[in-house]
Amino acid sequence: MKPFLAALALLALLSGGHALAQGVERSGGGASVVREPLAVPGTGSARETPPSVERSAQQGKRAASETPLPAVPPERAVAEGWELFSQGDFAAASSRFAQALEQGAGETLLQARLGLGFAAMRLQRLDEAQTQFQTLVDKGYRLPESLPALLTVQRARGDKAALEKTLALLPEAQRAQWREPVPIEPVVQAAAPTATPDGVRQALARAGSAPDARRLAALLKEHSPALERCADADVFLKIAQGLAGVSRQDEARSVLDRLAACPRQDFGVRLGVLYELAALESPAVVRQKLERYRQASPPSDPARAEALRRLALTLDRKEMGDASTSQARKLQLARDILAADPADPDARAALAWDDLANGRAAQAQRAFRELAGAFPKRLDLQLGLGYANLRLGLLDEALGVAASSGHADDPAMRDLAYQVHVKQAFTALDAKDPALAARQAEAARALQPGGGELAELDAWIAQARGEDAKALKTFSDRYAATGDKRFLAPMAQGYAATGQRVKAFETAARMAQDPETKSAAADFYATQKAPILAASTGTDGCCTNADTPQIDALGFVRSKTGDKGTSRLLEWSVPARYSWALPSGMRFTAGASAHFLSSGDAPQSPYAGSYFARVAGTPQRNALLTDLTVYTPLLALDVEGPYRWRLEAGTSPIGGPVAPLPTFAFSVSTPEWELAVHQKAVTESILSWTGLRDPYGSRSWGRVLRTGGRGKITFTPAKDWFITTGGQADYLWGENVEGNAGLSGNLSAGRTFRFQEAELALGAFATLKHYAVNSNFYTVGHGGYYSPDLLFIAGPFARLRTPECRTWWLDVEGSVGWLYENNAGAPKYPLGSSTAGLTSGQITELGGRYAAKTETKLAYSAKGEALLRITPHVAAGVFGGVSNASDYTEAYGGLGLRWSWDPQKAFWAPKELFRRQTPFDRD
């Protein structure tokens, strides 16, 4: 602004010596948005533009002129207007300001309006003055001058309604002084200083209204002795202003430094010198000169003391708004300013920005809301309120600020709205709503088509939609271009989702070695069902201490319908296991189970074993074994990594009538597929599981093993849709049991629905089984297990699972379907026997056959398990199930306890408790 020394003096007089109302200036630094991660703008303090003395050479004072003034550029018209105003020629000043008002734009237009208001005030044209000042106040322009001037005019006019409306902009404590009407008296002009023999005043007047730099320098050189004597200080001040106005700051500064050192100088001139120096020098330099003057000439007049205090505040505001001022210094200045003027909006805004930058968003929001309400047209305050809402997660409110601020098209406000939409998009992704995220991303793109976050946001949306290849390419490109480690985690997920699991785990291993990405690596391991690797990486999530030793103790009962003494079965089992882990992702398990088996009371002369011998009246040699206790050991190794490996080793039951044989299972899997080979015991009856002694002979038979392989694979044709298919092939064999081959296949398809983080899968399934021979009988040579020639089941299913990483877990599923089975006929004694010495009846029995059977029915199956963490070290659970999807009905139920050496936060692999050595894991 051009000089306001006269204006400031005038306002000080008009307000009765009271401090000018503190106004608001635009932010000096503006908002600078940090792109990665989303953050609030920097805490730049608002910069107060100090009132300054006119920076152009002026003519000597003259009386009000009636001669029309020649047209000049609007900037020069404003400068000349202030020159005329300072000389008391208010009419001529008004004409110059009016000319600038008609032709000027931007800052020049506002300066002209301010000058026109002051001139109209002195000419008693109070309506015109009020109009100009009201416009400036509405625009928030130079409120330290325009607001007191408007109050002065309203008070002089007695316009109480308008006065009260304007007073609402002031603190309550400053309002009372303005409520008494005081008329504006014409200013009595001081006599012009007497010219000195040096004639510098006359020389400057002869130089014209706008002397050039060369002419000003010549005047300064010619009359330098007068400057050294401190004569005509007001004239030399005008010369210094003129030099500064034509970019000769060094010469202007030299003149001003000399004037500042002059003793016994007119207070108004000295104040003008200091203000002019404030525009050229750093606040620290001017502050030193001000303090020296205060110490040398302590002001006794309260009005002068107040003027010096206002100058000191101006210096503080200028330094606070300087971009080179340190943040700590800015905050100290803001506190000092508020100590002198508690209502200063710039200082309050500076502290509010600091609150926002240091996590005190709620405190910042309160301050910005109050400031923005008082000064609704200030962009920086509206931005502060918007960013405070953004930091607090009040995204709709932040967007509302951007839309209703009146600055919606301002780049800084558009950037705020852009960041809000980006944040809303990421929030939608967290809520698993990629459609909403895509809409928010498009809204952000409309504001900033080249926004740096948009490519990354699009990649996250693609990943949420299951477009893994697209997402992986974007994340890989961004990482290659920027080296930003944040992209490694989604890259690892992308590799895993597209089947590049080795690359995925290599990327995670690299992340695990870097403290900045270690936590993200642990999260990746957790999502890939590798809790030991997650724990050894140092996670503080639900996999914490997943590498701890554990002890499992279980108990369950299983009941299978059938004939007493043969196909019926009641099982009581008590498995116990101990496991320990290595940081490399391995877990070793050692365990054993005790099984009490019972088939009920067998009838006299049971139809089992070599029953053909009984036909001739041969007495029963051995009681049919219907109750026994057996034991099974278990050793297992689980290995986490790109592929999940599991190796089990054990035996068939120890303690039965047939010697045990080794059992094993070896599998490799990913979340999408599994391949396995195995040799398992067939547990459908005592005969198939442990074997029996022939009640009519000396042989034992049974103890059937299933040796073969299986596989399955799951496809996801679209997000949340799945198709799973699998198959199994086995060779079944045992002691004195006819060999058999079995094939089975299954297909299921459906969709997973998610609500409150739980998953509900709905779909349909079909199962097909075939065995080469029917061995579901109990005479010698048969294995006592269900082996239909053809079994087909189809129907709907449903499965509900709660999420892992909770302190409780639930998994229940059920299905119904139409079942068709065809059980082929079979020889009663498939291994045959010598007929020597047999009676005809025995030979007939020996050559007999079991009849074929076909059946259709409604089949059902249901099972479920639930776990609860009782203490950080102890978890308990229950499980159970029922099914009639064969020629018998089976039901089971049990409970288990797990003790962990180190405390656990949640269930990181709940399926591991009941899926081993229980009916959940048997054929």
Side-chain angles (χ1 to χ4, degrees), residues 507-545:
T507 302
R510 187 162 74 250
M511 293 162 56
Q513 302 304 314
D514 190 327
E516 293 182 25
T517 55
K518 195 173 185 179
S519 176
D523 293 340
F524 169 79
Y525 288 136
T527 62
Q528 296 300 310
K529 311 301 181 186
I532 298 173
L533 288 175
S536 61
T537 302
T539 180
D540 59 356
C542 77
C543 292
T544 301
N545 296 329

Side-chain angles (χ1 to χ4, degrees), residues 2-3 53-62 75-84 86-87 200-217 219-220 234-247 252 276:
K2 297 302 179 182
V53 182
E54 177 62 31
R55 289 182 178 174
S56 62
Q58 302 182 22
Q59 298 176 350
K61 292 187 178 179
R62 59 186 177 181
E75 294 80 5
R76 177 55 59 190
V78 170
E80 292 182 3
W82 282 116
E83 178 182 350
L84 293 167
S86 66
Q87 296 170 3
V200 65
R201 189 179 304 278
Q202 290 80 359
L204 180 61
R206 289 193 299 272
S209 61
D212 57 22
R214 185 182 57 81
R215 179 60 176 151
L216 290 172
L219 285 173
L220 186 61
D234 62 320
V235 180
F236 284 107
L237 174 60
K238 295 175 183 178
I239 293 175
Q241 293 168 342
L243 289 169
V246 292
S247 301
E276 192 66 23

